[in-house]
């Protein structure tokens, strides 16, 4: 299994929390092929984000978390975002900035531009990874959204990520603790975005919208407010809860997790039917 899907005793109303980059089950064949040691490979993880969103279950939301690591296959990229420097003979449909940065569906690099492999992999291997690791996660996510549409008339996906502290180094101070991405209003209704911002700021955190992260494949593929499907990407500053070099929780991790759990509780109480009425009234 490439992911964990956890359901509450009663799904209260169409909210899904997901963490596509917190996977840490590194296959032995991958470790043997990589030029990097496990500690460097882990630098691309959204480490411990799955732990932070786990309380959503207690508040009636579904939780979907990856097991497969991002450096093996990136679940927040399209299956056609193939890097020709990673996959021998690949011809991408479009050379997106993500591919050029080495961050396609099968990444070329981890953080700080460290190259994962000494040589390109075969196209057959790339196709195998996508079929066996990428598609099951997205089939599960699509099925959850369809189920929520049937049961509740809509769906809200909180796509949780973490960001290195130095990713914000170019921003003026005070820097944000969270970056909310809704593709500049395309992937979620204004009401949902406003509610997410309110939940974060109520706990005393600073939040910035769409800069430097407005959302990637998941927000683009699934966020359809006209269908009453709303996707918000939340990027959290890793330095708030972990030692980024050691990839270990900070001594005060539980204190931070308690604050964050109150955000999770508020978001789990959102309802897609409310924002649908708001759209109809606009």
């Amino acid at each position: 299994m490439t992911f964990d899907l956890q359901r509450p005793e009663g799904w209260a109303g169409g909210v899904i929390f997901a963490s596509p980059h917190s996977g840490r089950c590194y296959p032995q064949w991958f470790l043997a092929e990589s030029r990097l040691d496990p500690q460097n490979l882990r630098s691309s993880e959204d480490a411990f984000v799955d732990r932070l969103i786990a309380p959503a279950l207690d508040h009636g939301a579904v939780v979907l978390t990856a097991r497969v690591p991002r450096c093996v296959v990136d679940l927040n990229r399209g299956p056609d975002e193939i890097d020709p420097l990673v996959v021998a003979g690949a011809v991408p449909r479009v050379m997106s900035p993500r591919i050029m940065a080495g961050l396609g569906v099968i990444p070329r690099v981890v953080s700080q531009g460290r190259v994962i492999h000494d040589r390109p992999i075969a196209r057959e291997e790339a196709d195998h990874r996508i079929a066996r690791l990428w598609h099951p996660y997205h089939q599960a996510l699509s099925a959850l959204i369809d189920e929520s549409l049937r049961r509740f008339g809509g769906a809200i996906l909180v796509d949780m990520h973490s960001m290195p502290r130095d990713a914000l180094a170019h921003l003026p101070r005070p820097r944000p603790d969270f970056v909310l991405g809704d593709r500049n209003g395309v992937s979620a209704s204004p009401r949902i975005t406003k509610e997410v911002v309110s939940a974060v700021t109520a706990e005393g955190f600073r939040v910035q919208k769409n800069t430097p992260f407005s959302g990637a494949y998941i927000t683009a593929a699934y966020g359809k407010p006209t269908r009453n499907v709303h996707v918000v990407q939340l990027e959290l500053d890793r330095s708030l809860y972990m030692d980024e070099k050691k990839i270990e929780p900070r001594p005060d991790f539980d204190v931070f997790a308690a604050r964050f759990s109150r955000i999770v509780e508020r978001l789990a109480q959102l309802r897609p039917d409310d924002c649908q009425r708001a759209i109809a009234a606009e």
Side-chain angles (χ1 to χ4, degrees), residues 77-83 90-96 98-99 104-106 123 130 134-135 217:
R77 299 290 182 264
D80 59 347
E81 290 188 82
I82 305 257
D83 185 343
V91 180
R93 182 173 54 83
V94 177
M95 277 297 290
S96 69
R98 293 192 291 251
I99 293 175
V105 65
I106 298 177
R123 182 58 191 258
I130 293 167
W134 189 95
H135 280 289
Y217 175 79

Side-chain angles (χ1 to χ4, degrees), residues 221-232:
Y222 296 100
K224 309 291 182 186
T226 56
R227 293 184 64 219
N228 206 15
V229 178
H230 309 267
V231 182
V232 170

Side-chain angles (χ1 to χ4, degrees), residues 112-133:
Q112 300 178 2
R114 289 169 291 194
V115 176
I116 297 169
H117 295 291
D118 285 322
R119 61 186 63 85
I121 66 173
R123 182 58 191 258
E124 292 77 9
E125 166 62 21
D127 291 342
H128 180 65
R129 286 195 207 180
I130 293 167
R132 186 168 57 91
L133 304 174

Side-chain angles (χ1 to χ4, degrees), residues 142-179:
S142 295
L144 283 172
I145 290 172
D146 288 344
E147 179 185 348
S148 186
L149 281 166
R150 291 193 304 270
R151 292 177 59 179
F152 307 112
I156 299 170
L157 171 63
V158 181
D159 195 47
M160 269 308 304
H161 297 262
S162 68
M163 55 189 174
R165 182 62 176 171
D166 61 14
L168 307 177
H170 64 290
L171 298 179
R173 295 177 184 272
R175 296 169 185 161
D177 303 307
F178 288 76
V179 175

